[in-house]
Amino acid sequence: MSGLTHLDEEGSARMVDVGTKPTTTRQAVAQGRITMAREAAAAIRAGSVQKGDVLAVARVAGIMAAKKTSDLIPLCHPLPLSKVEIDLALDEEGVTATATAATAGQTGVEMEALTAVSVTLLTVYDMAKALDKRMNIGDIRLLAKTGGKSGDWQA
C-alpha cells in the first residue's frame, strides 16, 4: 500500500520486520525549543526555581524518555541505545534542547532523539509552569541522521 512500511496489504498497522536488515551504526539528532517570559528564563539561570535544577532534571528526563520510546510510540522497536546526549542552551527567552541518540542496530534512532527532545522540553515546562503558564513548546524536528539503508540525511 503506497510504500508505507507500517501498513500491511490491507492497510492495517503493523510493526516492520527488521530481522533481516544488517546491523549498522546509526545516529540521529533532533532539536526543539521552549520559549518563556524573561523572568522565568532568569529564574532557571539563577537556579531559583522552587522545584530545583530545571536543566539537570530535564536532561535526565530526556535521556530516560529516549530509553522508553518503544513503550510510548506503538510501532517502534525497542533499541539498545549506546548513547543519548541532551544539550541545553538557555537564553533570555527560553531553552533550546538538542538530543543525539545512537545505536548499532537494524533500525534508526530518529524517534528516540525526537522523544528525548519532546520530554526534555515538557519537563522544563513542568518545572517552571508556576513562573509562566504561557510557555510555548515548538519547532521540534529532526536535524540529521546517519546510517541505515537510506544513508545519511541532514535538514
Side-chain angles (χ1 to χ4, degrees):
M1 180 168 194
S2 63
L4 298 175
T5 59
H6 282 84
L7 299 177
D8 66 16
E9 296 76 30
E10 287 81 44
S12 298
R14 68 176 175 115
M15 187 176 201
V16 175
D17 182 358
V18 297
T20 60
K21 291 173 72 175
T23 297
T24 60
T25 301
R26 297 157 183 269
Q27 181 169 292
V29 181
Q31 189 174 75
R33 181 155 172 83
I34 184 168
T35 56
M36 62 189 66
R38 289 177 178 262
E39 296 78 20
I44 291 171
R45 182 178 311 286
S48 61
V49 177
Q50 223 172 15
K51 288 188 175 184
D53 186 337
V54 173
L55 300 182
V57 173
R59 183 175 287 112
V60 172
I63 293 167
M64 291 174 64
K67 297 189 309 184
K68 294 288 191 179
T69 299
S70 66
D71 292 336
L72 300 169
I73 310 296
L75 302 177
C76 282
H77 293 81
L79 297 177
L81 295 172
S82 57
K83 172 185 177 181
V84 178
E85 184 174 287
I86 310 287
D87 293 316
L88 299 170
L90 174 65
D91 59 45
E92 292 180 352
E93 297 177 348
V95 178
T96 299
T98 305
T100 303
T103 191
Q106 295 166 299
T107 190
V109 288
E110 296 91 339
M111 294 307 299
E112 286 71 14
L114 288 161
T115 299
V117 163
S118 299
V119 172
T120 297
L121 297 173
L122 287 167
T123 302
V124 171
Y125 185 95
D126 179 56
M127 293 192 70
K129 67 185 176 226
L131 302 171
D132 180 8
K133 290 186 182 16
R134 294 179 187 225
M135 287 182 282
N136 184 19
I137 295 172
D139 204 18
I140 296 171
R141 66 200 184 283
L142 184 68
L143 296 180
K145 70 146 244 49
T146 60
K149 182 180 173 183
S150 64
D152 297 352
W153 178 88
Q154 191 166 351

